[in-house]
Amino acid sequence: MSERASNRIFDIFNILIITFVILLCLMPFIHIIAISLSSTRPIMSGLVTFFPREFNINAYTKVFSDMAMIRSLGFTIMLTVLATVLSMVMTIAVAYSLSKKDLRGRKWFMLIIVITMFFSGGIIPDYILVRNLHLLDTVWALVLPGLISPFYMIILISFFNSIPKSLEEAAEIDGTTHLGTLLRIILPLSLPSLATLSLFYAVGRWNGFQDALMYINRPDLYPLQLKLYQMIQNNQVSELMQQEGLGMAQLMPESLKAASVVFSTVPILIVYPFLQRYFISGMMVGAVKG
Amino acid sequence: MAVKNSTYIRRNWQLYLLLVLPVIYFLVFKYGPMYGVQIAFKEFNFFQGIGGSEWVGLDIFREVFHNNDFFKALRNTLLLNLLDLIISFPAPLILAIMLYELRIVWFKKFAQTILYIPHFISWVIIGGIVLQVFGTESGFINNMLTGMGLDAIPFLSDKHYWLVTYLLVGVWQSAGWGTILYLAALTGINKELFEAAEVDGAGRFKKILHISLPGIKTTIATLLIINLGNMISIGFDRPFIIGNVAVRDYSEVLSTFVYRVGIESGQISLATAVGLFQALVGLIFLLGANYASKKLADESIL
C-alpha cells in the first residue's frame, strides 16, 4: 500500500471517529429538544428520539407563562450583571496595584491573597459567616463571598505586566496620577483580557448552584439553577411516591421538564460564540503565565 | 535609590486606596471563615457564637474518626477521583491528538466549537438531561434497549451502574474542553521535526508516537500531577446532582457529606471538622504536587 493511500485511510477514519464524537456530544441536546416539542403520549410510549412526535409548543407556552420562572430568569440576569461588574472593578483595582513591582509591601499583600488559594475554612464556616453578617436570603450572599478570584487576579496582573512600561512612564512624566493612567491608558489597552475575565465571572455566576442552595430560602430570590433543580427534584420525589402508591401527586409532564431545561440552556448558547473566542485566549494566558 | 517616605506616599497613595476594599474582602470572606474553623474544636451553638462556644479539644475529631459514614464519604471521594483519572484523564489527550491530525481547517474549528459546549453547561442542566437520557422508566437509552427486546438497565438507581453513568457524564462534560491545553502544546512543537520524519518515511502513527506524544509529555505530566494533587477535593455539584438516595453508597462524597451533616442536620461542629480534615489533607497533597511539578519543570529545562 502506498504512503498516500495509507494517509488517506488515516484521514478518513479520523474524520469518521471525530464526527461520531461530535454526534455523541450533541445527541443529548437534540433529544431533549425533541422531547420538549412532543406530546405526552408518544413520549411515554418511548417513540421520541431525535425528532419531535405530535409537534407542539405547549410546553414552551407554559414555561413562558410561569411567572415564577420568568422572575427567576430576570433575577438571575440582574444577579449575574451585578456580580460580574463588582468582581471586575475589585479585580482590576487589586491587580493594578499589585502589578507595580516596586509597590512597598507588595510581597505581603500577595502572600495574604495567595494563601487563600491553598487553604480555606470550608463551607460550614463560610455559611456561619454569611449568617452572622445577616446576608442569608439576600442577593449579597450570592455576590460577596466569591467577589475576587485570586486566580483571575493573577491572570490580570500578568496581563498588565505585559503592557510596555514606556507607555505608563510617558503618562507619569505628563503628571498623570496612577488612577488616571489606569483609566486612560491601561484599561483601554486591556479590553480583550477584561472581556475574557468578565465572561469567566459571568458564566461562573450564571451556572453557580451550591451557594444558592445554602444561602437562599426565599423563592423570589431563587436563581435559575436552583429553581430548575427544585422543579426536577420535586418531580422525582412525586414520581417515586406515585410508584410506591403513596397518593397521586401532581406530575410534571416530561415535555415541560425538557422545555425548562432548554429554556435555561439557551442564554448560555446565545453568549457561547463570544465565550469561545475569548475563553480560549484567556485559558492560554492562564496556562502560560498562571 | 531610596525615596523619602513622604514623597513615596504622596506619589503612590492611590495604589493603596485601590487595595483597601480588596484587602477587606479577603480578610472578611477568606480569613473570617479561617477564624471560624476553631469550632471544629468546640461544641458549637448559634446562640453562643464562634467565640462563646465551649472548647472540647479533639472530641469532635474522635467522633469523626468513629463515624462510618465519614469513612464511606472519604472512600467514595478517592474512588470517584481515581476512576475519573483513569477514564476522564486520557480522553482529552486522545481527542486532542485526533483533532491535531485533522487537515481540513473548517472541520477542525467546527469540531472544537461543538466539543467545548458541554463545559459551559451547568450541572443542574446536565442533571436534567441525564434523567431524560439514562432514566430507567422512560430514558432514551432504555427506550432503545427495550425497543430491541432487551432488559432495561438501572443506570441511576443501581449503585454499580450509577458509577458508570457518573463517569460517562464526566467524560462527556470535560473531554472536549480538556483538549485546549494539549492542542496548545501540540501547536508548540517544531514543525521541522514532522517534516524530517516524513523524509525518513515515517507514517502518521509513527509521527504521533515519536514526535507528538514526546513533544507534549511535560504537559501530560503536569496535568497528571495537578490531578493527583486534587485527589481528595471533589466538586459539590456533580455528585450531588447526578447522585440520588438510591445510590448514596457511592454518590456520597466529602463535599456532599459536609453539606448534609452541617446544613441539613445541623451538626455544625462535626461538619466543620470533616471540612478541616479535608482542607489539611488537601493542602499536603497540593504542596506535594506543586513541589513535584516544580521539579519536573527544572528537569525539562535541563
Side-chain angles (χ1 to χ4, degrees):
Chain A
M1 189 165 53
S2 80
E3 204 172 300
R4 257 201 127 99
S6 77
N7 257 340
R8 168 83 35 95
I9 291 171
F10 180 98
D11 281 333
I12 290 171
F13 269 97
N14 198 14
I15 289 172
L16 282 179
I17 294 171
I18 287 181
T19 307
F20 179 68
V21 175
I22 290 174
L23 288 178
L24 276 183
C25 187
L26 288 180
M27 273 193 302
F29 293 115
I30 297 172
H31 174 65
I32 203 151
I33 292 170
I35 293 273
S36 71
L37 293 168
S38 300
S39 309
T40 305
R41 209 169 39 86
I43 296 174
M44 294 324 271
S45 335
L47 293 173
V48 182
T49 49
F50 299 123
F51 297 100
R53 291 290 184 96
E54 296 180 20
F55 180 91
N56 68 82
I57 56 164
N58 294 347
Y60 287 97
T61 322
K62 260 198 192 134
V63 171
F64 278 102
S65 57
D66 178 356
M67 273 327 285
M69 199 74 181
I70 299 299
R71 200 174 48 199
S72 181
L73 175 71
F75 173 69
T76 313
I77 293 173
M78 188 279 284
L79 168 69
T80 305
V81 172
L82 176 71
T84 306
V85 169
L86 290 180
S87 289
M88 283 309 289
V89 170
M90 297 286 271
T91 309
I92 289 169
V94 69
Y96 180 64
S97 289
L98 296 182
S99 71
K100 301 283 183 194
K101 291 244 161 56
D102 49 3
L103 183 84
R104 289 183 193 171
R106 177 181 183 276
K107 220 172 57 188
W108 294 103
F109 289 119
M110 277 307 268
L111 187 69
I112 61 166
I113 293 172
V114 169
I115 283 176
T116 66
M117 295 172 84
F118 285 88
F119 186 80
S120 74
I123 66 156
I124 302 297
D126 283 351
Y127 173 82
I128 295 173
L129 177 77
V130 169
R131 193 188 140 110
N132 285 345
L133 294 173
H134 301 287
L135 298 179
L136 287 184
D137 278 332
T138 69
V139 63
W140 300 108
L142 304 177
V143 172
L144 295 179
L147 198 57
I148 302 177
S149 151
F151 181 65
Y152 300 166
M153 180 199 79
I154 290 173
I155 291 180
L156 199 56
I157 288 178
S158 65
F159 185 81
F160 285 159
N161 281 332
S162 72
I163 296 175
K165 282 280 167 282
S166 53
L167 288 171
E168 280 178 72
E169 280 157 13
E172 270 162 36
I173 290 167
D174 289 347
T176 316
T177 60
H178 285 302
L179 273 178
T181 316
L182 172 64
L183 293 176
R184 263 173 262 142
I185 296 174
I186 302 295
L187 291 187
L189 284 173
S190 315
L191 289 180
S193 55
L194 296 181
T196 308
L197 290 187
S198 305
L199 287 167
F200 271 127
Y201 276 122
V203 171
R205 183 58 272 167
W206 186 272
N207 285 342
F209 166 69
Q210 187 185 11
D211 54 351
L213 181 70
M214 290 194 344
Y215 302 146
I216 303 295
N217 281 311
R218 263 172 56 185
D220 58 320
L221 290 180
Y222 278 1
L224 207 51
Q225 305 299 333
L226 187 58
K227 173 99 184 116
L228 186 65
Y229 175 77
Q230 301 229 320
M231 273 171 70
I232 295 170
Q233 202 62 18
N234 288 344
N235 198 61
Q236 239 185 332
V237 173
S238 324
E239 245 170 66
L240 276 176
M241 280 170 62
Q242 211 162 52
Q243 279 168 22
E244 305 283 326
L246 298 168
M248 293 297 285
Q250 182 73 44
L251 267 193
M252 198 164 73
E254 294 292 324
S255 59
L256 187 54
K257 252 197 286 182
S260 307
V261 168
V262 175
F263 174 82
S264 321
T265 314
V266 165
I268 283 283
L269 292 185
I270 290 174
V271 292
Y272 177 68
F274 304 97
L275 283 178
Q276 203 215 353
R277 210 169 76 220
Y278 287 122
F279 261 102
I280 295 163
S281 54
M283 275 286 281
M284 297 303 181
V285 177
V288 175
K289 294 176 179 163
Chain B
M1 184 180 67
V3 185
K4 259 173 53 188
N5 279 346
S6 57
T7 320
Y8 178 81
I9 289 171
R10 204 180 59 241
R11 275 193 203 150
N12 296 301
W13 63 273
Q14 288 185 334
L15 293 177
Y16 292 97
L17 185 71
L18 287 174
L19 281 175
V20 172
L21 285 176
V23 168
I24 291 176
Y25 161 75
F26 281 105
L27 291 181
V28 172
F29 285 97
K30 299 294 166 181
Y31 287 88
M34 289 187 206
Y35 167 79
V37 151
Q38 58 177 280
I39 60 177
F41 308 96
K42 288 180 161 181
E43 198 61 69
F44 180 75
N45 72 60
F46 276 108
F47 299 107
Q48 287 162 318
I50 294 170
S53 294
E54 208 178 315
W55 289 99
V56 292
L58 291 174
D59 281 7
I60 312 280
F61 279 92
R62 253 170 239 132
E63 204 181 320
V64 168
F65 292 120
H66 283 101
N67 187 321
N68 282 333
D69 290 340
F70 162 72
F71 283 108
K72 201 177 261 179
L74 178 61
R75 181 206 67 184
N76 289 343
T77 305
L78 295 172
L79 175 74
L80 293 183
N81 279 339
L82 187 72
L83 289 173
D84 252 348
L85 193 67
I86 296 169
I87 309 287
S88 288
F89 186 77
L93 174 60
I94 296 167
L95 199 55
I97 286 185
M98 292 176 67
L99 285 169
Y100 184 69
E101 292 292 329
L102 282 178
R103 289 162 176 206
I104 311 165
V105 176
W106 71 263
F107 182 69
K108 184 174 167 182
K109 285 225 169 90
F110 171 74
Q112 284 173 287
T113 303
I114 301 294
L115 295 175
Y116 295 158
I117 292 177
H119 174 80
F120 297 103
I121 306 296
S122 77
W123 279 107
V124 174
I125 289 174
I126 295 177
I129 297 177
V130 164
L131 283 179
Q132 299 283 359
V133 173
F134 291 97
T136 311
E137 296 286 318
S138 61
F140 171 65
I141 296 178
N142 277 320
N143 278 341
M144 300 232 287
L145 289 177
T146 47
M148 290 187 290
L150 298 168
D151 285 337
I153 295 174
F155 284 109
L156 297 173
S157 48
D158 175 274
K159 60 182 187 179
H160 295 108
Y161 280 111
W162 180 82
L163 273 184
V164 177
T165 312
Y166 178 88
L167 291 172
L168 286 180
V169 175
V171 174
W172 179 83
Q173 194 257 355
S174 65
W177 186 248
T179 60
I180 288 185
L181 290 178
Y182 291 124
L183 282 170
L186 283 166
T187 322
I189 297 175
N190 189 348
K191 293 275 175 300
E192 285 169 20
L193 290 175
F194 289 104
E195 284 156 19
E198 237 160 86
V199 174
D200 289 348
R204 302 287 278 278
F205 283 109
K206 274 236 164 88
K207 277 191 271 181
I208 290 173
L209 211 60
H210 295 294
I211 301 174
S212 299
L213 279 176
I216 59 171
K217 69 169 195 272
T218 327
T219 310
I220 302 174
T222 310
L223 289 176
L224 188 65
I225 288 169
I226 292 173
N227 266 290
L228 287 171
N230 284 319
M231 252 349 220
I232 196 166
S233 55
I234 190 161
F236 174 83
D237 293 6
R238 181 174 162 205
F240 184 78
I241 290 164
I242 310 288
N244 60 63
V245 188
V247 296
R248 201 159 279 174
D249 266 355
Y250 278 155
S251 72
E252 188 81 306
V253 293
L254 287 174
S255 55
T256 60
F257 178 72
V258 167
Y259 170 78
R260 258 184 264 278
V261 171
I263 309 284
E264 281 184 354
S265 344
Q267 295 173 271
I268 297 281
S269 287
L270 186 71
T272 307
V274 173
L276 179 59
F277 168 81
Q278 188 183 10
L280 288 177
V281 178
L283 181 66
I284 295 167
F285 272 52
L286 218 61
L287 292 179
N290 242 20
Y291 176 77
S293 67
K294 282 233 172 73
K295 264 248 141 100
L296 192 79
D298 290 346
E299 266 166 38
S300 65
I301 288 166
L302 295 172

